[in-house]
């Protein structure tokens, strides 16, 4: 079996409890951004490329289960166990609005046109808030059949997607009528749902299965069984040729979309992986874990040599001695390694 190179991710510390949701913004004139939700109650904003901390949104009084950014990365939203969803100014960190609910808010999502915020949770109600009239009562869709776990918009904000934590299936709602028009059947509850960047596919994780659905005709395109229970999956946004999976085995797996073959297995987290997401350019991806860290991994370039590492720009950097090497779980910077070689020589 060929020897696989050891990936050295960027490790982002800061959260004091498990990281349970990640969301990348689209590419903006200022770059792209990564927001994370954690049970510590403090969503964090980072530079999506470097992982550098930008700021923390402070104000929730309970675990934050969901987070998102609007299309321009100017506003952030978060859903929390404190029975609220909050909207934040992503430039200043100020709280703009707090929408009170009657139970835990598990999911939130901005519409593509940024004018609407969708929320769902243990109340089993999908609510749509108008960002232009935040003081107005939200619109409520027909009651969801179970506790809402994930939500997303598709079809230029004409359709809403939701899944429940206590039953299988993904439900598609007509925004105009507020009613369910289609259900994508799964055996287990869907813990992760993602609409692809080109709006062609819906990626779901349920139990130990990852499924890809046609986002326009709603047929099942691919279904792959995973070696363990998976919590999250994400499709590479540019070519759509790879997907990533995170789950109970603490590893972040990269698979071939067309064959289901495992291409890479990234080890480093010290607890189950709760969320994985590709960066908008597809050159890297992030994972969030029970261990409280976020790790940003570079997607290996095609036909990468075993000795090849990848720098932060996604370009190959040849030679194992030129990069920090991870040996038996320890980072050895190159200066120390050179000294070590001199001592041994």
């Amino acid at each position: 079996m060929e020897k696989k190179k050891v990936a050295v991710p960027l490790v982002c510390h800061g959260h004091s409890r498990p990281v349970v949701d990640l969301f990348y913004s689209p590419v903006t004139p200022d770059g792209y951004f990564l927001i994370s939700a954690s049970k510590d109650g403090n969503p964090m904003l980072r530079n999506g490329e470097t992982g550098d901390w930008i700021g923390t949104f402070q104000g929730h009084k309970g675990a934050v289960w969901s987070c998102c950014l609007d299309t321009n990365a100017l506003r952030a939203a978060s859903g929390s166990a404190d029975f609220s969803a909050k909207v934040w100014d992503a430039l200043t960190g100020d709280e703009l609005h707090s929408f009170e609910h009657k139970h835990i808010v598990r999911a939130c999502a901005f519409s593509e046109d940024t004018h609407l915020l969708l929320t769902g949770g243990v109340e089993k109600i999908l609510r749509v808030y108008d960002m232009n009239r935040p003081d107005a009562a939200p619109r409520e869709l027909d009651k969801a059949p179970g506790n809402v776990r994930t939500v997303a918009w598709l079809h230029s904000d004409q359709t809403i997607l939701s899944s429940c934590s206590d039953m299988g299936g993904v439900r598609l709602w007509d925004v105009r009528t507020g009613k369910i028009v289609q259900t994508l059947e799964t055996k287990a509850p869907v813990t992760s749902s993602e609409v692809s960047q080109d709006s062609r596919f819906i990626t779901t994780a349920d139990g130990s299965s990852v499924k890809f659905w046609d986002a326009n005709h709603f047929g099942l395109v691919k279904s792959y069984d995973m070696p363990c229970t998976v919590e999250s999956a994400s499709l590479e946004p540019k070519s759509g040729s790879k997907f990533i999976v995170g789950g109970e085995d603490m590893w972040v797996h990269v698979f071939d979309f067309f064959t289901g073959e495992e291409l890479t297995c990234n080890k480093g987290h010290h607890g189950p992986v709760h969320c994985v997401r590709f960066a908008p350019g597809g050159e890297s991806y992030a994972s969030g874990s029970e261990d409280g860290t976020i790790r940003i991994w570079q997607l290996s370039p095609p036909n990468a040599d075993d000795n090849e590492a990848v720098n932060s720009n996604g370009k190959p950097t040849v030679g194992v001695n030129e990069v920090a090497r991870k040996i038996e779980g320890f980072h050895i910077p190159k200066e120390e390694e050179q000294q070590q070689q001199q001592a041994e020589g």
Side-chain angles (χ1 to χ4, degrees), residues 284-315:
S284 63
Y285 49 96
S287 55
S289 165
E290 183 74 16
D291 65 17
T293 68
I294 300 161
R295 290 168 192 259
I296 298 176
W297 313 81
Q298 295 298 323
L299 192 63
S300 307
N303 307 318
D305 187 72
D306 279 346
N307 290 345
E308 216 170 83
V310 180
N311 69 16
S312 61
N313 297 321
K315 293 172 184 164

Side-chain angles (χ1 to χ4, degrees), residues 249-320:
D249 65 1
M250 304 191 239
W251 301 340
V252 182
H253 304 267
V254 183
F255 292 94
D256 183 293
F257 172 80
F258 302 103
T259 66
E261 178 195 358
E262 181 172 295
L263 304 173
T264 312
C265 177
N266 295 310
K267 303 178 182 183
H269 281 297
H270 302 289
V273 177
H274 295 309
C275 42
V276 292
R277 283 295 178 260
F278 262 107
E283 70 289 339
S284 63
Y285 49 96
S287 55
S289 165
E290 183 74 16
D291 65 17
T293 68
I294 300 161
R295 290 168 192 259
I296 298 176
W297 313 81
Q298 295 298 323
L299 192 63
S300 307
N303 307 318
D305 187 72
D306 279 346
N307 290 345
E308 216 170 83
V310 180
N311 69 16
S312 61
N313 297 321
K315 293 172 184 164
T317 312
V318 181
V320 286

Side-chain angles (χ1 to χ4, degrees), residues 59-118:
H60 278 298
K61 295 181 171 60
V64 173
W65 285 106
S66 177
C67 59
C68 60
L69 293 160
D70 71 10
T71 309
N72 307 309
L74 297 177
R75 286 176 302 189
S78 50
S80 170
D82 66 8
F83 295 15
S84 79
K86 293 184 186 293
V87 177
W88 314 83
D89 184 317
L91 301 178
T92 65
D94 295 335
E95 182 182 311
L96 300 175
H97 313 292
S98 185
F99 300 123
E100 299 310 312
H101 292 61
K102 294 184 177 65
H103 215 304
I104 293 166
V105 182
R106 281 300 302 260
C108 61
F110 280 112
S111 59
E112 190 182 333
D113 67 10
T114 76
H115 297 317
L116 304 171
L117 178 70
L118 169 64

Side-chain angles (χ1 to χ4, degrees), residues 20-344:
V20 291
D21 195 25
L22 291 169
F23 184 95
Y24 276 105
S25 77
V27 177
T28 76
D30 300 314
Y32 61 91
F33 301 90
L34 175 66
I35 188 171
S36 54
S38 167
K39 290 185 184 178
D40 66 12
N42 297 312
M44 289 188 182
L45 185 68
R46 297 177 186 275
N47 177 308
E49 188 173 0
T50 65
D52 290 340
W53 176 84
I54 294 172
T56 302
F57 301 104
Q58 295 180 315
H60 278 298
K61 295 181 171 60
V64 173
W65 285 106
S66 177
C67 59
C68 60
L69 293 160
D70 71 10
T71 309
N72 307 309
L74 297 177
R75 286 176 302 189
S78 50
S80 170
D82 66 8
F83 295 15
S84 79
K86 293 184 186 293
V87 177
W88 314 83
D89 184 317
L91 301 178
T92 65
D94 295 335
E95 182 182 311
L96 300 175
H97 313 292
S98 185
F99 300 123
E100 299 310 312
H101 292 61
K102 294 184 177 65
H103 215 304
I104 293 166
V105 182
R106 281 300 302 260
C108 61
F110 280 112
S111 59
E112 190 182 333
D113 67 10
T114 76
H115 297 317
L116 304 171
L117 178 70
L118 169 64
T119 68
V122 181
E123 272 186 275
K124 306 181 182 180
I125 297 171
L126 292 172
R127 291 187 174 90
V128 178
Y129 293 86
D130 187 338
M131 293 292 96
N132 298 319
R133 298 186 304 135
D135 297 329
R139 181 175 169 217
E140 294 186 0
L141 279 64
D142 274 8
K143 202 168 175 70
N147 296 347
V148 177
R149 172 72 185 260
T150 71
V151 297
W153 297 84
L154 64 161
H155 301 156
S156 302
D157 305 331
Q158 299 302 301
T159 306
I160 281 171
L161 172 161
S162 73
S163 72
C164 298
S165 55
D166 41 7
M167 65 182 65
V170 172
R171 278 144 208 96
L172 296 149
W173 307 70
D174 184 322
V175 172
R176 195 173 47 81
T177 63
K179 297 189 182 304
I180 297 171
V181 292
Q182 184 97 12
T183 300
L184 311 180
E185 299 292 350
T186 66
K187 286 181 183 165
V190 170
T191 52
S192 166
S193 60
E194 176 192 74
V195 179
S196 65
Q197 196 168 285
D198 60 9
S199 300
R200 285 179 58 206
F201 295 108
I202 298 165
T203 304
T204 62
D206 73 284
S208 58
S209 169
V210 175
K211 295 180 173 68
F212 300 93
W213 312 80
D214 185 313
N216 296 305
H217 304 291
F218 305 125
L220 182 61
V221 179
K222 298 271 187 189
S223 179
Y224 293 117
D225 290 327
M226 296 290 127
C228 73
T229 301
V230 295
E231 276 199 59
S232 188
S234 182
L235 182 63
E236 193 277 312
K238 289 303 181 189
S239 66
S241 61
K242 297 175 182 176
F243 65 96
I244 50 171
V245 173
E248 286 187 352
D249 65 1
M250 304 191 239
W251 301 340
V252 182
H253 304 267
V254 183
F255 292 94
D256 183 293
F257 172 80
F258 302 103
T259 66
E261 178 195 358
E262 181 172 295
L263 304 173
T264 312
C265 177
N266 295 310
K267 303 178 182 183
H269 281 297
H270 302 289
V273 177
H274 295 309
C275 42
V276 292
R277 283 295 178 260
F278 262 107
E283 70 289 339
S284 63
Y285 49 96
S287 55
S289 165
E290 183 74 16
D291 65 17
T293 68
I294 300 161
R295 290 168 192 259
I296 298 176
W297 313 81
Q298 295 298 323
L299 192 63
S300 307
N303 307 318
D305 187 72
D306 279 346
N307 290 345
E308 216 170 83
V310 180
N311 69 16
S312 61
N313 297 321
K315 293 172 184 164
T317 312
V318 181
V320 286
N321 293 332
E322 294 174 23
V323 294
R325 289 180 63 193
K326 193 176 177 192
I327 301 175
E328 295 172 357
F330 292 96
H331 291 286
I332 302 184
K334 56 185 178 185
E335 294 83 2
E336 290 180 28
E337 192 171 309
Q338 285 163 356
Q339 290 166 3
Q340 196 177 341
Q341 286 171 344
Q342 287 164 1
E344 287 168 359

